[in-house]
Amino acid sequence: MTRVSEGAARALGEIGDETAVPHLVKLVGGFIKNAPLKAPHKLVSKGTKKSSKPAKPVRKNGAGADPQVVLSAISSLGVMKARGALEALARALTAAREEVRAAAASALGNLGSPDAVKPLERSLLDPSKDVRASAARALEMLTGRTYL
C-alpha cells in the first residue's frame, strides 16, 4: 500500500493537478503534527520483561503517514510550484526526520516565493549538513545569492 500511495503522490506532482494541492498539504501537515515525541527505546521499566518487538514511538494524536509517502508529497508540491503549500512546507523544516527537512527545503526553493526565504535562512542553522545544503541551494534559487 505504501508504494501505491508514494507513487500516487509522485504522479499528482507530475500531472500538476492543482486540485491535489490541499490533499498533499494535509498529508504533509498531518505527518508533522503526528511526529514522534519520544524515542522508542528505554520505555520498559526496571524489572519487567523486555519484548522482542521494538516499542512504537509515542505520537501525539495517533500515527502519522508513512515517511516515504510524505517525501513524495513534498516533492510533488515543489514540482507543482504550489504556493498554497508554503506554510506546510515551512513547518516541515522542523520535522524530526532529516530527509523530510531536506526535501521541504528543496520544495520551498522550487515554489519561487520570497516568503520562503526566512524559514530557509533558519534552516541554514540545522544540525544536518544535508538540510543546510538543501536550504542553501533553495535560497540561491530564490535570491540569486550564494549561501554557505
Side-chain angles (χ1 to χ4, degrees), residues 92-144:
L93 292 173
T94 65
R97 297 181 70 102
E98 169 182 329
E99 62 271 28
V100 171
R101 296 192 312 270
S106 295
L108 282 166
N110 289 336
L111 294 186
S113 173
D115 293 332
V117 171
K118 286 206 185 296
L120 286 167
E121 285 176 337
R122 286 191 294 271
S123 289
L124 293 173
L125 302 174
D126 194 277
S128 165
K129 179 178 143 184
D130 292 338
V131 174
R132 292 191 307 269
S134 292
R137 283 190 299 274
L139 283 163
E140 288 172 23
M141 289 171 60
L142 293 171
T143 66

Side-chain angles (χ1 to χ4, degrees), residues 58-111:
V58 177
R59 295 182 182 271
K60 184 177 183 179
N61 299 327
D66 181 279
Q68 289 306 120
V69 176
V70 173
L71 288 171
S72 292
I74 288 171
S75 175
S76 291
L77 290 167
V79 167
M80 295 169 70
K81 299 184 185 317
R83 290 193 177 203
L86 189 125
E87 186 178 323
L89 292 172
R91 276 196 320 268
L93 292 173
T94 65
R97 297 181 70 102
E98 169 182 329
E99 62 271 28
V100 171
R101 296 192 312 270
S106 295
L108 282 166
N110 289 336
L111 294 186

